[in-house]
Amino acid sequence: MSTQIAIPDITYNLLINEIIKYSVCTDPNLSLLESLKNLTKEELQDKRQAMKEMGISVGERIIGFIVKEHVWTKEHNSLMRFICKELWMYLFGRYIGRLQANNKGVYIMYDYKFHWFQGLDLSESIDRENFEKFCSLALSWVCGVLKGAFKGLGKESSIEAAVEENNSCRFTITLKLG
Amino acid sequence: MVYEFYIFNNVGNCLFYLNLRGATPDKNPQDKQKLIFGMLHTMKSMCKKFSPQAVSVSPFTSYVTDSYKLHILETSSGLNFVMFTHPDMMDQTHSLKWIYSTIYCTFVIRNPFYEPKKMITSVVFKQKLEEYLLTLAR
């Protein structure tokens, strides 16, 4: 019987930041900002893919942990509700803000309290582009977790994420029907 | 009315400086910062020695003169938050604590681009701090 220890999500927020720094800063003399500036498009895409794969691996295993106490159906809407409540509660200690669905298998999840990027000012600054590169790397990890979660539940999915104003994040999930 | 705000680390480096007075800036702020840190170090150790009970942390929190009042908060991590205000201002330990726990923790510690022991260059930290300090009345 495993006891659930609640870890505030700042712990792995900071750990993910360090993983990104480790993968981006290949030259020890350059700061994080300069290393991000020097990334080419292909390198950035490769790193995003690597973060996503890390997340997929984590997501699959977490789902294995969570579902042992739950009865689940294969119906899409209840799967989505499960993800919004149980998975988010497990990762971040709260429910996700809002879930929108069109009936063709595309869902949009809004999280209004996503505090990971509070320290970066994304509205107007010279380094905005580099901040956004950093955010996209961190969000690739979260997308990977979601993708891995769906894979663990037996569904193929494609996930995109975007940061919005005021600490909110939008995740667009497309589930393959059937 | 807050006049100036400084953040020093335990070695004496000034990590952050904010001037809210709108007066002409000093020609050499580093000299003033060194003076301030030296004075604070002396005050803290003096207060600790004069204290009637044995204390492990210096009890020094503020001093007041005719033209300004200085408030200081020293954290366990060695940071010194120093604020120069109008002499009539009440004790500001609670607001310094709030600045540390909310503004500093969110915009500096959570910022992946911040390097510890270096100067804080985050624009959003400066903005949020300025907003908060301007709301501090008597």
Side-chain angles (χ1 to χ4, degrees):
Chain A
M1 202 91 101
S2 63
T3 47
Q4 288 198 338
I5 311 166
I7 305 181
D9 74 314
I10 187 165
T11 313
Y12 51 88
N13 176 190
L14 294 176
L15 183 61
I16 298 286
N17 287 351
E18 290 304 313
I19 294 178
I20 296 177
K21 274 192 217 172
Y22 178 76
S23 104
V24 167
C25 294
T26 43
D27 185 351
N29 294 329
L30 293 180
S31 74
L32 177 61
L33 205 53
E34 287 159 22
S35 305
L36 278 174
K37 269 191 215 162
N38 296 341
L39 278 184
T40 64
K41 260 196 172 170
E42 295 86 32
E43 280 175 350
L44 185 61
Q45 198 49 36
D46 283 341
K47 294 195 196 290
R48 275 208 206 118
Q49 193 55 32
M51 294 300 292
K52 198 161 191 179
E53 272 163 31
M54 266 190 246
I56 292 179
S57 174
V58 172
E60 282 180 295
R61 290 160 216 262
I62 287 191
I63 277 292
F65 245 73
I66 304 178
V67 293
K68 59 186 190 238
E69 292 157 22
H70 292 95
V71 180
W72 52 281
T73 68
K74 292 209 173 180
E75 207 250 326
H76 280 194
N77 285 339
S78 51
L79 273 187
M80 288 302 302
R81 272 196 292 274
F82 174 78
I83 295 281
C84 293
K85 286 190 178 171
E86 304 298 330
L87 183 65
W88 230 249
M89 183 59 89
Y90 201 80
L91 287 180
F92 301 105
R94 55 191 158 83
Y95 292 165
I96 208 167
R98 194 167 124 206
L99 172 66
Q100 272 183 339
N102 76 10
N103 288 324
K104 297 179 191 166
V106 180
Y107 297 87
I108 303 185
M109 300 200 310
Y110 293 91
D111 187 351
Y112 296 120
K113 291 187 189 169
F114 202 72
H115 293 297
W116 283 25
F117 308 121
Q118 260 187 327
L120 308 175
D121 182 21
L122 295 174
S123 52
E124 29 174 283
S125 106
I126 326 165
D127 295 318
R128 182 189 176 163
E129 210 185 292
N130 298 312
F131 290 167
E132 283 183 353
K133 282 185 196 172
F134 189 91
C135 291
S136 69
L137 285 168
L139 278 180
S140 314
W141 184 82
V142 184
C143 290
V145 173
L146 282 170
K147 186 161 180 166
F150 283 113
K151 199 167 162 188
L153 291 170
K155 291 284 173 204
E156 286 283 325
S157 60
S158 78
I159 317 228
E160 275 163 27
V163 179
E164 311 213 320
E165 301 232 327
N166 259 345
N167 300 324
S168 60
C169 268
R170 183 186 67 223
F171 298 93
T172 312
I173 304 171
T174 316
L175 290 177
K176 290 237 167 77
L177 295 173
Chain B
M1 252 314 277
V2 181
Y3 298 149
E4 287 176 338
F5 192 88
Y6 295 81
I7 303 183
F8 293 96
N9 70 357
N10 51 358
V11 188
N13 301 329
C14 180
L15 301 178
F16 185 76
Y17 166 54
L18 183 64
N19 186 347
L20 290 169
R21 256 177 313 165
T24 51
D26 297 311
K27 277 173 239 170
N28 207 350
Q30 275 86 0
D31 286 346
K32 187 171 171 190
Q33 285 157 13
K34 280 191 202 150
L35 273 179
I36 293 177
F37 184 75
M39 182 269 296
L40 286 173
H41 185 79
T42 320
M43 286 294 274
K44 280 190 283 180
S45 55
M46 260 196 342
C47 288
K48 195 169 156 184
K49 283 187 190 154
F50 297 161
S51 166
Q53 310 112 315
V55 281
S56 54
V57 175
S58 165
F60 176 56
T61 56
S62 67
Y63 73 76
V64 65
T65 72
D66 279 342
S67 52
Y68 68 90
K69 185 169 183 179
L70 174 143
H71 309 258
I72 177 171
L73 175 72
E74 184 170 15
T75 70
S76 319
S77 45
L79 287 175
N80 293 288
F81 291 85
V82 181
M83 196 155 70
F84 286 84
T85 69
H86 190 276
D88 291 338
M89 207 130 168
M90 289 192 316
D91 179 50
Q92 291 296 316
T93 313
H94 63 279
S95 63
L96 284 171
K97 278 190 180 158
W98 198 89
I99 290 177
Y100 177 45
S101 65
T102 315
I103 305 185
Y104 182 81
C105 277
T106 308
F107 296 101
V108 179
I109 295 182
R110 270 199 192 244
N111 185 353
F113 294 93
Y114 170 63
E115 288 159 49
K117 308 219 167 137
K118 297 219 173 136
M119 289 209 56
I120 298 172
T121 52
S122 162
V123 168
V124 64
F125 171 70
K126 189 172 170 187
Q127 272 175 357
K128 295 285 174 181
L129 185 61
E130 213 170 312
E131 267 172 34
Y132 176 70
L133 291 178
L134 289 172
T135 64
L136 288 179
R138 298 271 174 104

